[in-house]
Each structure stands twice: as structure tokens, then as C-alpha cells.
Amino acid sequence: MLETIFNVLREGWGWMFLRGAAMTLLISVLGMALGVVIGITGASIKTNGPRWLRGPVSLYTTVVRSIPELLIIYLLFFGSVQVVSDLADFMRMEDVMTRWFPALVGILAIGLIAGSYSVEVFRGALQAIPEGQIEAAKAIGMSPWQRLRRIILPQMFWYALPGANNVWQTALKDTALISLVGLVEIMRAATLGAANTREPMAMYLIAGVLYFLIGACSQALFLLAERYTGKGMRAQA
């Protein structure tokens, strides 16, 4: 099996897998970034925001978490592909449509999915901050910006990191579903390689190793981030 893997990599499929891994990371990172923005915004609304906005945020999290990820991708893709295609034809930008539209759908889909889980992750993190610290900060005259920068954000991110790590790992694996709308990422590269070389076992093993390496490295980064942001906080936690 190792000889077969080395043979297919030498035939040019190694470069295809590297490009697929880069696309997987791009979709995952940008989608997760969008999810974090949605999560922090939604958590702030559910914690301290106006009551009339809490209902829509709760509806969003319930609906998105109740629908399969693949269905969300299909709804976004097939719900907008004709409009985007017509716009690309009008602007004579067919290459943009072919190359980047599946990627944009992937980023948006991963962002919406990750955001629906991140709302609860960050809401729990905000509620874990001791209320006495906020009251003490007000008592000594800290401005809202100072309270946010010195007390709320550092602790919020520390409390949220374990949950955010789970959301990230899920988002990373969800990128495999984007291959069904034509995006060449790790899973799509493995599928194309299996069809062309007739070595599906080797191709899917390579894909599995790549997913494992990315997941393991990102797990280590989250642990480092948790240690860094948790300096001086472990005693009170």
C-alpha cells in the first residue's frame, strides 16, 4: 500500500492534494472567522441585547442546527447559482463564477453553520464571567471600552476556546461536503484521484492523513492559545 501511495503521489496527485489542502484551510479559516463574528454578535444580543432581537437569533440557531449541513450547502448553492451566473454573464466574468462561486458558497455555509453553534459557545463564555468583576470595574470608574478590553474579552475568549475548538473541528470536516458542488478540496482531490488511478484505497488514505494532520496541528494551536489567554486566570477558574 505504501508503494502504491508513493506511486500516485509521484504521478502528480501530490500537488493536487496540496492544492486541495490549501483550499480546505482557506474555506475552514474564513468560514470559522465568519462564524466567530456571528457567534459573538449573537451571544451579545442574547445576553444583553434588545429583546426584539433575541427571538430572531434563537430562531437562526435553532433552524441552522436542525437542518443537515449538506442541505444548507445545497440551498445556498442552488438558490443563488442562477442569479450569480446571469450576473457573471452580464459582467463577462465567467471565470470568477467558475473558480470562486463554489468557494464563496462554502465559506458562507461553513460560517452560518459554525455561527449557529458559536452563539451558544460565546453566550456561555459571557455568562461565566463573574458579575462582581464588572461591578468592581464600574465602581473604580472604568469606561465601557476599558471593561470590554481588560475584563470581558480576555475572559470570554478563554472560556470559549474549548467550545470553539469543537466548532472548528466540525467546520474542518464539513468542508468535505463542499466537494459536492464542485470545489476541489481534499475530499474532491481524493475522489478525482480514485477515479483516474483506480486506487481508491490509497487516495482516501492520503485524504484521511491530511485531515488528521490539519486537525492535530489545529488542536495543538488551540491548546497553546488556551494556555496563553489563561495566564493569571486559572486560580479564579
Side-chain angles (χ1 to χ4, degrees):
M1 180 56 66
L2 286 177
E3 182 179 354
T4 302
I5 291 175
F6 288 136
N7 287 335
V8 297
L9 290 177
R10 284 196 295 265
E11 291 173 3
W13 290 101
W15 175 243
M16 175 68 78
F17 273 110
L18 287 177
R19 292 177 59 188
M23 183 59 71
T24 293
L25 281 172
L26 177 67
I27 300 300
S28 301
V29 170
L30 294 181
M32 185 66 185
L34 176 59
V36 168
V37 172
I38 295 173
I40 294 175
T41 304
S44 300
I45 291 173
K46 294 189 73 172
T47 304
N48 298 309
R51 292 183 179 274
W52 63 273
L53 281 177
R54 297 178 189 177
V57 171
S58 297
L59 179 63
Y60 154 70
T61 57
T62 301
V63 169
V64 174
R65 287 187 295 175
S66 300
I67 297 177
E69 288 87 347
L70 182 58
L71 181 56
I72 292 175
I73 294 168
Y74 279 161
L75 289 174
L76 290 174
F77 183 81
F78 292 109
S80 59
V81 64
Q82 188 60 52
V83 175
V84 175
S85 179
D86 292 341
L87 182 61
D89 289 340
F90 176 75
M91 301 179 66
R92 297 182 180 179
M93 298 174 64
E94 291 83 0
D95 289 343
V96 175
M97 168 66 185
T98 303
R99 294 180 182 180
W100 294 109
F101 177 63
L104 292 175
V105 169
I107 293 169
L108 181 59
I110 296 299
L112 290 175
I113 295 167
S116 66
Y117 292 97
S118 296
V119 168
E120 297 305 319
V121 169
F122 285 104
R123 184 176 70 87
L126 286 172
Q127 292 180 339
I129 300 173
E131 187 64 29
Q133 294 185 12
I134 308 298
E135 294 175 356
K138 292 179 180 178
I140 64 175
M142 277 191 181
S143 66
W145 167 246
Q146 289 176 319
R147 294 196 299 270
L148 179 67
R149 183 170 60 88
R150 296 182 180 180
I151 297 175
I152 297 175
L153 287 181
Q155 295 190 74
M156 180 191 72
F157 280 111
W158 185 66
Y159 284 122
L161 274 173
N165 185 12
N166 291 334
V167 176
W168 160 258
Q169 298 292 346
T170 301
L172 177 63
K173 291 181 286 188
D174 283 344
T175 58
L177 301 173
I178 312 297
S179 64
L180 297 176
V181 296
L183 185 69
V184 181
E185 39 66 71
I186 293 176
M187 200 63 189
R188 182 67 172 171
T191 302
L192 292 173
N196 281 271
T197 65
R198 297 185 180 179
E199 295 287 352
M201 187 64 179
M203 289 297 182
Y204 291 124
L205 275 176
I206 295 171
V209 169
L210 286 174
Y211 279 118
F212 170 77
L213 290 176
I214 296 173
C217 290
S218 58
Q219 175 79 12
L221 289 175
F222 269 96
L223 291 176
L224 289 175
E226 189 173 348
R227 290 179 184 176
Y228 177 78
T229 58
K231 290 179 179 179
M233 295 174 58
R234 296 186 182 278
Q236 71 182 30

